[in-house]
Coordinates of all heavy atoms in Angstrom, one line a residue:
M12 N 0.9 -1.2 0.0 CA 0.0 0.0 0.0 C 0.9 1.2 0.0 O 1.8 1.3 0.8 CB -0.9 0.0 1.2 CG -1.8 1.2 1.4 SD -2.9 1.2 2.8 CE -3.9 -0.2 2.5
N13 N 0.6 2.2 -0.9 CA 1.5 3.4 -0.9 C 0.7 4.5 -0.2 O -0.4 4.4 0.3 CB 1.8 3.7 -2.4 CG 0.6 4.1 -3.2 OD1 -0.4 4.6 -2.7 ND2 0.7 3.9 -4.5
I14 N 1.4 5.7 -0.2 CA 0.9 6.8 0.6 C -0.5 7.3 0.0 O -1.4 7.6 0.8 CB 1.9 8.0 0.6 CG1 1.5 9.1 1.5 CG2 2.2 8.5 -0.8 CD1 1.7 8.9 2.9
I15 N -0.7 7.3 -1.3 CA -2.0 7.7 -1.8 C -3.1 6.8 -1.3 O -4.1 7.3 -0.8 CB -1.9 7.8 -3.3 CG1 -0.8 8.7 -3.8 CG2 -3.3 8.2 -3.9 CD1 -0.5 8.6 -5.3
D16 N -2.9 5.5 -1.5 CA -3.9 4.5 -1.1 C -4.1 4.6 0.4 O -5.3 4.5 0.9 CB -3.5 3.1 -1.5 CG -4.6 2.2 -1.8 OD1 -5.7 2.7 -2.1 OD2 -4.5 1.0 -1.5
R17 N -3.0 4.7 1.2 CA -3.2 4.7 2.7 C -4.0 5.9 3.1 O -5.0 5.8 3.9 CB -1.8 4.8 3.4 CG -1.9 4.7 4.9 CD -0.5 4.6 5.5 NE 0.4 5.6 5.2 CZ 0.4 6.9 5.7 NH1 -0.5 7.2 6.6 NH2 1.3 7.8 5.4
I18 N -3.7 7.1 2.6 CA -4.4 8.3 3.0 C -5.9 8.3 2.4 O -6.8 8.7 3.1 CB -3.7 9.6 2.6 CG1 -2.4 9.6 3.4 CG2 -4.5 10.8 2.8 CD1 -1.4 10.8 3.0
R19 N -6.0 7.7 1.2 CA -7.4 7.6 0.7 C -8.2 6.8 1.6 O -9.4 7.2 1.9 CB -7.3 6.9 -0.7 CG -8.6 6.7 -1.4 CD -8.5 5.8 -2.6 NE -8.0 4.4 -2.2 CZ -8.8 3.4 -1.8 NH1 -10.1 3.7 -1.5 NH2 -8.4 2.2 -1.5
E20 N -7.7 5.7 2.1 CA -8.5 4.8 3.0 C -8.7 5.5 4.4 O -9.8 5.4 4.9 CB -7.7 3.5 3.2 CG -7.9 2.6 2.0 CD -7.3 1.2 2.3 OE1 -6.7 0.9 3.3 OE2 -7.5 0.3 1.4
E21 N -7.7 6.2 4.9 CA -7.8 6.9 6.2 C -8.9 7.9 6.1 O -9.6 8.2 7.1 CB -6.5 7.6 6.5 CG -5.4 6.6 7.0 CD -4.1 7.3 7.3 OE1 -4.0 8.5 7.1 OE2 -3.1 6.6 7.6
Q22 N -9.1 8.5 4.9 CA -10.1 9.6 4.7 C -11.4 9.0 4.3 O -12.4 9.7 4.1 CB -9.6 10.6 3.8 CG -8.4 11.4 4.3 CD -8.0 12.5 3.4 OE1 -8.6 12.9 2.4 NE2 -6.8 13.2 3.7
G23 N -11.5 7.7 4.2 CA -12.7 7.0 3.8 C -13.2 7.3 2.4 O -14.4 7.3 2.1
L24 N -12.2 7.5 1.5 CA -12.6 7.8 0.1 C -12.5 6.5 -0.8 O -11.6 5.7 -0.6 CB -11.6 8.8 -0.5 CG -11.6 10.2 0.3 CD1 -10.4 11.0 -0.3 CD2 -12.9 10.9 0.1
S25 N -13.4 6.4 -1.7 CA -13.3 5.4 -2.7 C -12.4 5.9 -3.8 O -12.0 7.1 -3.9 CB -14.7 5.1 -3.3 OG -15.2 6.2 -4.0
Y26 N -12.0 5.0 -4.7 CA -11.2 5.4 -5.9 C -11.9 6.5 -6.7 O -11.4 7.5 -7.1 CB -10.9 4.2 -6.8 CG -10.0 3.2 -6.1 CD1 -10.4 1.9 -5.9 CD2 -8.7 3.6 -5.7 CE1 -9.6 1.0 -5.3 CE2 -7.9 2.6 -5.1 CZ -8.3 1.3 -4.9 OH -7.5 0.4 -4.3
S27 N -13.2 6.3 -6.9 CA -14.0 7.2 -7.7 C -14.2 8.6 -7.0 O -14.1 9.6 -7.7 CB -15.3 6.6 -8.1 OG -16.1 6.3 -7.0
A28 N -14.3 8.5 -5.7 CA -14.4 9.8 -4.9 C -13.1 10.6 -5.0 O -13.1 11.8 -5.3 CB -14.8 9.5 -3.5
L29 N -12.0 9.9 -4.9 CA -10.7 10.6 -5.0 C -10.5 11.1 -6.4 O -10.0 12.2 -6.6 CB -9.5 9.7 -4.6 CG -8.1 10.3 -4.7 CD1 -8.0 11.6 -3.9 CD2 -7.1 9.3 -4.2
A30 N -11.0 10.3 -7.4 CA -10.9 10.8 -8.8 C -11.7 12.1 -9.0 O -11.2 13.0 -9.6 CB -11.4 9.7 -9.7
R31 N -12.9 12.1 -8.5 CA -13.7 13.3 -8.6 C -13.0 14.5 -7.9 O -13.0 15.6 -8.5 CB -15.1 13.1 -8.0 CG -16.0 12.3 -8.9 CD -17.5 12.4 -8.4 NE -17.6 11.9 -7.1 CZ -17.7 10.6 -6.7 NH1 -17.7 9.7 -7.6 NH2 -17.9 10.3 -5.4
M32 N -12.5 14.3 -6.7 CA -11.9 15.4 -6.0 C -10.6 15.9 -6.7 O -10.3 17.1 -6.6 CB -11.5 14.9 -4.6 CG -12.6 14.6 -3.6 SD -12.0 13.8 -2.1 CE -10.9 15.0 -1.4
S33 N -9.9 15.0 -7.3 CA -8.6 15.4 -7.9 C -8.7 15.8 -9.3 O -7.7 16.3 -9.9 CB -7.6 14.2 -7.7 OG -8.0 13.1 -8.4
G34 N -9.8 15.4 -10.0 CA -9.9 15.7 -11.4 C -9.3 14.7 -12.3 O -9.1 15.0 -13.5
L35 N -8.9 13.6 -11.7 CA -8.3 12.5 -12.5 C -9.3 11.4 -12.8 O -10.4 11.4 -12.2 CB -7.1 11.9 -11.7 CG -6.0 12.9 -11.3 CD1 -5.0 12.2 -10.3 CD2 -5.3 13.3 -12.5
K36 N -9.0 10.6 -13.7 CA -9.9 9.5 -14.0 C -9.7 8.3 -13.0 O -8.6 8.1 -12.5 CB -9.6 9.0 -15.5 CG -9.9 10.0 -16.5 CD -9.6 9.5 -17.9 CE -10.0 10.6 -18.9 NZ -9.8 10.1 -20.3
T37 N -10.8 7.7 -12.8 CA -10.8 6.6 -11.8 C -9.8 5.5 -12.1 O -9.1 5.1 -11.2 CB -12.2 6.0 -11.6 OG1 -13.2 7.0 -11.2 CG2 -12.3 4.9 -10.6
P38 N -9.6 5.0 -13.3 CA -8.6 4.0 -13.6 C -7.2 4.5 -13.3 O -6.3 3.8 -12.8 CB -8.8 3.7 -15.1 CG -10.2 4.1 -15.4 CD -10.5 5.3 -14.5
T39 N -7.0 5.8 -13.5 CA -5.7 6.4 -13.2 C -5.4 6.4 -11.7 O -4.3 6.0 -11.2 CB -5.6 7.9 -13.8 OG1 -5.8 7.8 -15.2 CG2 -4.3 8.5 -13.5
V40 N -6.4 6.8 -10.9 CA -6.3 6.8 -9.5 C -6.0 5.4 -9.0 O -5.1 5.1 -8.1 CB -7.5 7.4 -8.8 CG1 -7.5 7.2 -7.3 CG2 -7.7 8.9 -9.2
W41 N -6.7 4.4 -9.5 CA -6.6 3.0 -9.1 C -5.1 2.6 -9.4 O -4.5 2.0 -8.5 CB -7.5 2.1 -9.9 CG -7.4 0.7 -9.5 CD1 -8.1 0.1 -8.4 CD2 -6.6 -0.3 -10.1 NE1 -7.7 -1.2 -8.3 CE2 -6.8 -1.5 -9.3 CE3 -5.7 -0.3 -11.1 CZ2 -6.1 -2.7 -9.7 CZ3 -5.0 -1.5 -11.5 CH2 -5.2 -2.7 -10.7
R42 N -4.6 2.9 -10.6 CA -3.2 2.5 -10.9 C -2.2 3.1 -10.0 O -1.3 2.5 -9.6 CB -2.9 2.8 -12.4 CG -3.5 1.9 -13.4 CD -2.9 2.1 -14.8 NE -3.0 3.5 -15.3 CZ -4.0 4.0 -15.9 NH1 -5.1 3.2 -16.2 NH2 -4.0 5.2 -16.4
H43 N -2.4 4.4 -9.7 CA -1.5 5.1 -8.7 C -1.6 4.5 -7.3 O -0.6 4.3 -6.7 CB -1.8 6.6 -8.7 CG -1.5 7.3 -10.0 ND1 -2.0 8.5 -10.3 CD2 -0.7 7.0 -11.0 CE1 -1.6 8.9 -11.5 NE2 -0.8 8.0 -11.9
C44 N -2.8 4.2 -6.9 CA -3.0 3.7 -5.5 C -2.5 2.3 -5.4 O -1.9 1.9 -4.4 CB -4.5 3.7 -5.2 SG -5.2 5.3 -4.8
R45 N -2.6 1.5 -6.5 CA -2.1 0.1 -6.4 C -0.6 0.0 -6.8 O -0.1 -1.1 -6.8 CB -2.9 -0.8 -7.4 CG -4.5 -0.7 -7.1 CD -4.9 -0.8 -5.7 NE -4.7 -2.2 -5.3 CZ -4.7 -2.6 -4.0 NH1 -4.9 -1.7 -3.1 NH2 -4.5 -3.8 -3.7
G46 N 0.0 1.1 -7.1 CA 1.4 1.1 -7.5 C 1.7 0.5 -8.8 O 2.9 0.1 -9.1
K47 N 0.7 0.5 -9.7 CA 0.9 0.0 -11.1 C 1.6 1.1 -11.9 O 2.2 0.8 -13.0 CB -0.4 -0.4 -11.7 CG -1.2 -1.4 -11.0 CD -0.4 -2.7 -11.0 CE -1.2 -3.8 -10.2 NZ -0.5 -5.0 -10.1
S48 N 1.5 2.4 -11.6 CA 2.2 3.4 -12.2 C 2.5 4.6 -11.2 O 1.8 4.6 -10.2 CB 1.4 4.0 -13.4 OG 0.2 4.6 -13.0
F49 N 3.4 5.4 -11.5 CA 3.8 6.5 -10.7 C 3.1 7.8 -11.2 O 3.0 8.0 -12.4 CB 5.3 6.8 -10.7 CG 6.1 5.8 -9.9 CD1 6.8 4.9 -10.6 CD2 6.1 5.8 -8.5 CE1 7.6 3.9 -9.9 CE2 6.8 4.9 -7.8 CZ 7.5 3.9 -8.5
P50 N 2.5 8.6 -10.3 CA 1.9 9.8 -10.7 C 2.9 10.8 -11.3 O 4.0 11.0 -10.7 CB 1.2 10.4 -9.4 CG 1.9 9.7 -8.3 CD 2.4 8.4 -8.8
D51 N 2.5 11.5 -12.3 CA 3.4 12.6 -12.9 C 3.2 13.8 -12.0 O 2.4 13.8 -11.0 CB 3.1 12.9 -14.3 CG 1.6 13.3 -14.6 OD1 0.9 13.7 -13.6 OD2 1.2 13.3 -15.7
L52 N 3.9 14.9 -12.3 CA 3.8 16.1 -11.5 C 2.4 16.7 -11.4 O 2.0 17.2 -10.3 CB 4.8 17.1 -11.9 CG 6.3 16.7 -11.7 CD1 7.2 17.8 -12.3 CD2 6.6 16.5 -10.3
G53 N 1.7 16.7 -12.5 CA 0.3 17.2 -12.5 C -0.6 16.4 -11.6 O -1.4 17.0 -10.8
S54 N -0.4 15.1 -11.6 CA -1.2 14.2 -10.8 C -0.8 14.4 -9.3 O -1.7 14.4 -8.4 CB -1.0 12.7 -11.2 OG -1.5 12.5 -12.5
C55 N 0.5 14.6 -9.1 CA 0.9 14.8 -7.7 C 0.3 16.1 -7.1 O -0.1 16.1 -6.0 CB 2.5 14.9 -7.7 SG 3.3 13.4 -7.8
A56 N 0.2 17.1 -8.0 CA -0.4 18.4 -7.5 C -1.8 18.2 -7.2 O -2.3 18.7 -6.2 CB -0.2 19.4 -8.6
A57 N -2.5 17.4 -8.0 CA -3.9 17.1 -7.8 C -4.1 16.3 -6.5 O -5.0 16.6 -5.7 CB -4.5 16.3 -9.0
Y58 N -3.3 15.3 -6.2 CA -3.4 14.5 -5.0 C -3.0 15.4 -3.8 O -3.7 15.3 -2.7 CB -2.5 13.3 -5.1 CG -3.0 12.2 -6.0 CD1 -2.1 11.7 -7.0 CD2 -4.2 11.7 -5.9 CE1 -2.5 10.7 -7.8 CE2 -4.7 10.7 -6.8 CZ -3.8 10.2 -7.7 OH -4.2 9.2 -8.6
A59 N -2.0 16.2 -3.9 CA -1.6 17.0 -2.8 C -2.7 17.9 -2.4 O -3.0 18.1 -1.2 CB -0.4 17.8 -3.2
R60 N -3.4 18.6 -3.3 CA -4.5 19.4 -3.0 C -5.7 18.6 -2.4 O -6.3 19.0 -1.4 CB -5.0 20.2 -4.3 CG -4.2 21.3 -4.7 CD -4.9 22.1 -5.8 NE -5.3 21.3 -6.9 CZ -4.5 21.0 -8.0 NH1 -3.3 21.5 -8.1 NH2 -5.0 20.3 -9.0
S61 N -6.0 17.5 -3.0 CA -7.2 16.7 -2.6 C -7.0 16.1 -1.3 O -7.9 16.0 -0.5 CB -7.5 15.6 -3.7 OG -7.7 16.2 -4.9
L62 N -5.8 15.6 -1.0 CA -5.5 14.8 0.2 C -4.9 15.6 1.3 O -4.7 15.1 2.5 CB -4.7 13.5 -0.1 CG -5.3 12.5 -1.1 CD1 -4.3 11.5 -1.5 CD2 -6.6 11.9 -0.5
G63 N -4.4 16.8 1.0 CA -3.8 17.6 2.0 C -2.4 17.1 2.4 O -2.0 17.1 3.6
I64 N -1.6 16.6 1.4 CA -0.3 16.1 1.6 C 0.7 16.8 0.7 O 0.3 17.5 -0.2 CB -0.2 14.6 1.5 CG1 -0.6 14.1 0.1 CG2 -1.0 13.9 2.6 CD1 -0.5 12.6 -0.1
S65 N 2.0 16.7 0.9 CA 3.0 17.3 0.1 C 3.5 16.5 -1.0 O 3.3 15.3 -1.1 CB 4.2 17.7 1.0 OG 4.9 16.5 1.4
F66 N 4.1 17.2 -2.0 CA 4.7 16.5 -3.1 C 5.8 15.5 -2.6 O 5.9 14.4 -3.1 CB 5.5 17.5 -4.0 CG 4.6 18.0 -5.1 CD1 3.6 18.9 -4.8 CD2 4.8 17.7 -6.4 CE1 2.8 19.4 -5.8 CE2 4.1 18.3 -7.4 CZ 3.0 19.1 -7.1
E67 N 6.5 15.9 -1.6 CA 7.6 15.0 -1.1 C 7.1 13.8 -0.5 O 7.7 12.7 -0.6 CB 8.4 15.8 -0.1 CG 9.7 15.0 0.4 CD 10.6 15.8 1.2 OE1 10.3 17.0 1.5 OE2 11.7 15.3 1.5
Q68 N 5.9 13.8 0.1 CA 5.3 12.6 0.7 C 4.8 11.7 -0.5 O 4.9 10.5 -0.4 CB 4.0 13.0 1.5 CG 4.4 13.6 2.8 CD 3.2 14.0 3.6 OE1 2.6 15.0 3.2 NE2 2.8 13.3 4.6
L69 N 4.3 12.3 -1.6 CA 3.8 11.5 -2.7 C 4.9 10.9 -3.5 O 4.8 9.7 -3.9 CB 3.0 12.4 -3.6 CG 1.7 12.8 -3.2 CD1 1.1 13.9 -4.0 CD2 0.7 11.7 -3.1
R70 N 6.0 11.6 -3.8 CA 7.1 11.2 -4.6 C 8.4 11.4 -4.0 O 9.2 12.3 -4.5 CB 7.0 11.8 -6.0 CG 5.8 11.4 -6.9 CD 5.9 10.0 -7.5 NE 7.1 9.8 -8.2 CZ 7.3 10.0 -9.5 NH1 6.3 10.4 -10.2 NH2 8.5 9.8 -10.1
P71 N 8.8 10.7 -2.9 CA 10.1 11.0 -2.3 C 11.2 10.7 -3.2 O 12.3 11.3 -3.1 CB 10.1 10.0 -1.1 CG 9.0 9.0 -1.4 CD 8.0 9.7 -2.3
D72 N 11.0 9.9 -4.3 CA 12.1 9.7 -5.3 C 12.5 10.9 -6.0 O 13.6 11.1 -6.4 CB 11.7 8.6 -6.3 CG 10.4 9.0 -7.0 OD1 9.4 9.3 -6.4 OD2 10.4 9.0 -8.3
L73 N 11.6 11.9 -6.1 CA 11.9 13.2 -6.8 C 12.8 14.1 -5.9 O 13.4 15.0 -6.4 CB 10.6 13.9 -7.2 CG 9.7 13.2 -8.2 CD1 8.5 14.0 -8.4 CD2 10.5 13.0 -9.5
F74 N 12.8 13.8 -4.6 CA 13.5 14.6 -3.7 C 14.7 13.9 -3.1 O 15.4 14.5 -2.2 CB 12.5 15.1 -2.5 CG 11.4 15.9 -3.0 CD1 10.2 15.4 -3.5 CD2 11.6 17.3 -3.1 CE1 9.2 16.2 -3.9 CE2 10.5 18.1 -3.6 CZ 9.4 17.5 -4.0
A75 N 15.0 12.8 -3.6 CA 16.2 12.0 -3.0 C 17.5 12.8 -3.3 O 17.7 13.3 -4.4 CB 16.3 10.7 -3.7
G76 N 18.3 13.0 -2.3 CA 19.5 13.7 -2.4 C 19.4 15.2 -2.3 O 20.3 15.9 -2.4
T77 N 18.1 15.7 -2.1 CA 17.9 17.1 -2.0 C 18.3 17.5 -0.6 O 17.9 16.9 0.4 CB 16.4 17.5 -2.2 OG1 16.0 17.0 -3.5 CG2 16.2 19.0 -2.1
P78 N 19.2 18.5 -0.4 CA 19.6 18.9 0.9 C 18.5 19.4 1.7 O 17.5 20.1 1.2 CB 20.6 20.1 0.7 CG 20.5 20.4 -0.8 CD 19.8 19.4 -1.5
T79 N 18.5 19.0 3.0 CA 17.4 19.4 3.9 C 17.7 20.8 4.6 O 16.9 21.4 5.2 CB 17.1 18.4 5.0 OG1 18.3 18.1 5.6 CG2 16.6 17.1 4.3
S80 N 19.0 21.2 4.6 CA 19.3 22.5 5.2 C 20.1 23.3 4.1 O 20.7 22.7 3.2 CB 20.2 22.2 6.4 OG 21.4 21.6 6.0
P81 N 20.1 24.6 4.3 CA 20.8 25.4 3.3 C 22.2 25.1 3.2 O 22.9 24.8 4.2 CB 20.6 26.8 3.8 CG 19.5 26.8 4.8 CD 19.5 25.3 5.3
S82 N 22.8 25.0 2.0 CA 24.2 24.8 1.8 C 25.0 26.1 1.8 O 24.4 27.1 1.8 CB 24.4 24.0 0.5 OG 24.0 24.8 -0.6
T83 N 26.2 25.9 1.9 CA 27.1 27.1 1.8 C 27.0 27.7 0.4 O 27.1 27.0 -0.5 CB 28.6 26.7 2.1 OG1 28.6 26.0 3.3 CG2 29.5 27.9 2.1
P84 N 26.7 29.0 0.4 CA 26.6 29.6 -1.0 C 27.9 29.5 -1.8 O 29.0 29.6 -1.2 CB 26.3 31.1 -0.7 CG 26.1 31.2 0.8 CD 26.6 29.9 1.4
R85 N 27.7 29.2 -3.0 CA 28.9 29.1 -3.9 C 29.3 30.5 -4.4 O 28.5 31.4 -4.6 CB 28.6 28.3 -5.1 CG 28.4 26.8 -4.8 CD 28.1 26.1 -6.0 NE 27.7 24.7 -5.7 CZ 27.4 23.8 -6.6 NH1 27.4 24.2 -7.9 NH2 27.0 22.6 -6.3
K86 N 30.6 30.6 -4.7 CA 31.1 31.9 -5.3 C 30.6 31.9 -6.7 O 30.8 31.0 -7.5 CB 32.6 31.9 -5.2 CG 33.2 33.2 -5.5 CD 34.7 33.1 -5.2 CE 35.4 34.5 -5.5 NZ 36.8 34.4 -5.2
P87 N 30.0 33.0 -7.2 CA 29.6 33.1 -8.6 C 30.7 33.0 -9.5 O 31.8 33.5 -9.3 CB 28.8 34.4 -8.7 CG 29.1 35.1 -7.4 CD 29.7 34.2 -6.4
R88 N 30.5 32.3 -10.6 CA 31.5 32.2 -11.7 C 31.6 33.5 -12.4 O 30.7 34.2 -12.6 CB 31.2 31.1 -12.7 CG 31.3 29.7 -12.1 CD 31.0 28.8 -13.2 NE 31.2 27.4 -12.7 CZ 30.9 26.3 -13.5 NH1 30.5 26.5 -14.7 NH2 31.1 25.2 -13.0
S89 N 32.9 33.8 -12.8 CA 33.1 35.0 -13.6 C 32.7 34.7 -15.0 O 33.1 33.7 -15.6 CB 34.6 35.4 -13.5 OG 34.8 36.5 -14.3
H90 N 32.0 35.6 -15.6 CA 31.6 35.5 -17.0 C 32.3 36.4 -17.9 O 31.9 36.7 -19.0 CB 30.1 35.7 -17.1 CG 29.3 34.6 -16.5 ND1 29.2 33.3 -17.0 CD2 28.6 34.6 -15.3 CE1 28.4 32.6 -16.2 NE2 28.0 33.4 -15.2
Q91 N 33.4 36.9 -17.4 CA 34.2 37.9 -18.2 C 34.9 37.1 -19.3 O 35.4 36.0 -19.1 CB 35.2 38.6 -17.4 CG 34.5 39.5 -16.4 CD 35.6 40.2 -15.5 OE1 36.7 39.8 -15.4 NE2 35.1 41.2 -14.8
H92 N 35.0 37.7 -20.4 CA 35.7 37.0 -21.6 C 37.2 37.4 -21.6 O 37.5 38.6 -21.5 CB 35.0 37.5 -22.9 CG 35.6 36.8 -24.1 ND1 35.4 35.4 -24.3 CD2 36.3 37.3 -25.1 CE1 36.0 35.1 -25.4 NE2 36.5 36.2 -26.0
D93 N 38.0 36.4 -21.6 CA 39.5 36.6 -21.6 C 40.0 36.6 -23.0 O 40.1 35.5 -23.6 CB 40.2 35.6 -20.7 CG 41.6 35.9 -20.5 OD1 42.2 36.8 -21.2 OD2 42.3 35.2 -19.7
A94 N 40.3 37.8 -23.6 CA 40.7 37.9 -25.0 C 42.0 37.2 -25.2 O 42.4 36.8 -26.3 CB 40.8 39.3 -25.4
S95 N 42.9 37.0 -24.2 CA 44.2 36.4 -24.4 C 44.1 34.9 -24.6 O 45.1 34.3 -25.1 CB 45.0 36.7 -23.1 OG 44.5 36.0 -22.0
K96 N 42.9 34.3 -24.3 CA 42.8 32.9 -24.6 C 42.3 32.6 -26.0 O 42.1 31.4 -26.3 CB 41.8 32.3 -23.5 CG 42.5 32.3 -22.1 CD 41.6 31.6 -21.2 CE 42.2 31.6 -19.8 NZ 41.3 31.0 -18.8
Q97 N 42.0 33.6 -26.8 CA 41.5 33.3 -28.1 C 42.7 32.9 -29.0 O 43.8 33.4 -28.9 CB 40.8 34.6 -28.7 CG 39.5 34.8 -28.1 CD 38.8 36.0 -28.8 OE1 39.4 36.8 -29.5 NE2 37.5 36.0 -28.7
S98 N 42.4 32.1 -30.0 CA 43.4 31.7 -30.9 C 43.2 32.4 -32.3 O 42.2 32.6 -32.7 CB 43.4 30.2 -31.2 OG 43.5 29.5 -30.0

């Protein structure tokens, strides 16, 4: 059971009810809930709004390796053109 299906059940929603709330088709919701396919970003947005959860909860794979705290700022690269390097 994935996060979409778990929260759908916790909220007492049928597949068709979640489909109506999210604006998706019932077979699409079923496939996402059963893990037969992964929701795209548009579907994630629809589920997030409908179920009150975040994108990161829906698709943690999209956030893997994302820093959880601010990193040290990098020094900006110089975009000046060095004429002496031209051949």
Side-chain angles (χ1 to χ4, degrees):
M12 178 179 295
N13 66 26
I14 187 79
I15 300 167
D16 208 30
R17 184 174 57 81
I18 294 175
R19 177 191 66 80
E20 285 187 354
E21 286 173 2
Q22 294 184 10
L24 300 170
S25 65
Y26 294 118
S27 58
L29 180 54
R31 281 192 304 277
M32 288 172 62
S33 62
L35 301 170
K36 295 182 179 182
T37 302
T39 300
V40 171
W41 182 87
R42 283 193 305 273
H43 293 160
C44 286
R45 306 312 290 166
K47 303 294 181 187
S48 65
F49 287 106
D51 60 17
L52 292 178
S54 297
C55 283
Y58 289 128
R60 282 190 308 271
S61 301
L62 298 172
I64 58 178
S65 70
F66 271 68
E67 189 170 4
Q68 287 174 288
L69 287 168
R70 291 288 305 270
D72 58 304
L73 297 176
F74 295 89
T77 303
T79 54
S80 61
S82 62
T83 304
R85 293 184 189 175
K86 191 174 182 180
R88 289 184 177 175
S89 175
H90 292 287
Q91 294 176 345
H92 185 65
D93 188 350
S95 65
K96 292 184 180 179
Q97 285 185 342
S98 302

